[in-house]
Amino acid sequence: MTSFQELIYGLDLLGTFVFTISGVTVALKKDFDLVGTVVMGIVTAIGGGTIRDIMIGKTPVGWLQDQNYLFVIAAAIAAAYIAQRAIMKLHRSFFLFDTIGIGLYTVLGIQKTLGQDLDPSVAVLMGVISACFGGVTRDVLANEIPLIFRKEIYAMACVCGGVTFLGLNHFYPKSEAAILFSVLVVMAIRYLSVRKGWTLYVKPF
């Protein structure tokens, strides 16, 4: 495995970890029991990637072929329970883990789609699906309006980061710096949009 492949794999596991905690955080706030919390963590972590892999024909999907994903999910659930009081006290903990997760999964989704020799525009769409649809499933199970459908800038942050990655990847293919910078673009846009109150909402006439 090359250093670039190792980076992709490591970021994938990291994304799985932070998205699991994102799902568990919502479950804890909703007072789910242990089974419900575990389910929330799992679907948030692997939901978007599973949909992406099925759509691009990459089956069996990644986590079915590598037990490390399940180990990471189990570790994240355990860590969330151990640090439950700290997580619940930090009101912004969900936002932090979710923002890191969508940044990582956007770029990873694009990279994996390009690896299937699909069009770059399709790759950006798959990046958005990778980043957002685990969260959509999480919010639906929690009886919440999914973030992607609210006024907040969410999916568009993924699109901007994805386009940034495509541009950098064109000139600097397989560049670790391009990946990390693109992840930061997603995170920065998401953070600033919430901090500054940016929105794409258009009032109906």
Side-chain angles (χ1 to χ4, degrees):
M1 186 180 290
T2 66
S3 60
F4 180 77
Q5 291 172 326
E6 288 176 350
L7 175 64
I8 293 293
Y9 184 61
L11 292 178
D12 206 356
L13 293 178
L14 177 60
T16 300
F17 186 87
V18 297
F19 257 154
T20 300
I21 292 183
S22 168
V24 171
T25 301
V26 172
L28 292 175
K29 289 181 178 180
K30 292 286 185 175
D31 292 324
F32 282 23
D33 64 9
L34 177 60
V35 174
T37 302
V38 169
V39 170
M40 285 284 280
I42 292 173
V43 299
T44 306
I46 64 176
T50 298
I51 294 172
R52 176 203 65 225
D53 285 354
I54 291 173
M55 292 183 71
I56 66 177
K58 194 175 186 300
T59 55
V61 296
W63 63 271
L64 290 176
Q65 303 179 74
D66 189 343
Q67 288 186 330
N68 286 334
Y69 289 96
L70 298 181
F71 292 148
V72 168
I73 290 172
I77 293 172
Y81 264 103
I82 292 171
Q84 180 176 348
R85 290 186 178 181
I87 289 175
M88 298 306 288
K89 286 180 180 179
L90 295 173
H91 300 295
R92 296 180 180 178
S93 60
F94 164 75
F95 176 77
L96 172 64
F97 289 114
D98 191 66
T99 301
I100 295 172
I102 65 171
L104 292 170
Y105 269 29
T106 296
V107 176
L108 291 169
I110 292 173
Q111 180 63 39
K112 290 188 177 184
T113 304
L114 292 175
Q116 296 295 106
D117 294 323
L118 294 172
D119 188 81
S121 60
V122 174
V124 173
L125 177 60
M126 291 300 105
V128 174
I129 288 175
S130 300
C132 299
F133 275 72
V136 168
T137 307
R138 173 199 65 212
D139 293 342
V140 169
L141 291 176
N143 199 29
E144 297 279 353
I145 298 174
L147 281 171
I148 194 174
F149 300 139
R150 301 182 201 174
K151 292 190 293 184
E152 298 178 15
I153 292 178
Y154 193 78
M156 187 53 65
C158 301
V159 171
C160 292
V163 172
T164 299
F165 175 69
L166 285 180
L168 292 174
N169 190 62
H170 178 74
F171 293 103
Y172 308 101
K174 295 186 177 182
S175 167
E176 290 89 348
I179 290 177
L180 297 177
F181 181 77
S182 301
V183 170
L184 290 176
V185 167
V186 178
M187 294 173 60
I189 293 175
R190 173 72 177 136
Y191 171 78
L192 290 173
S193 68
V194 172
R195 184 71 180 269
K196 303 292 185 180
W198 298 342
T199 177
L200 297 177
Y201 178 70
V202 178
K203 289 185 179 181
F205 294 105

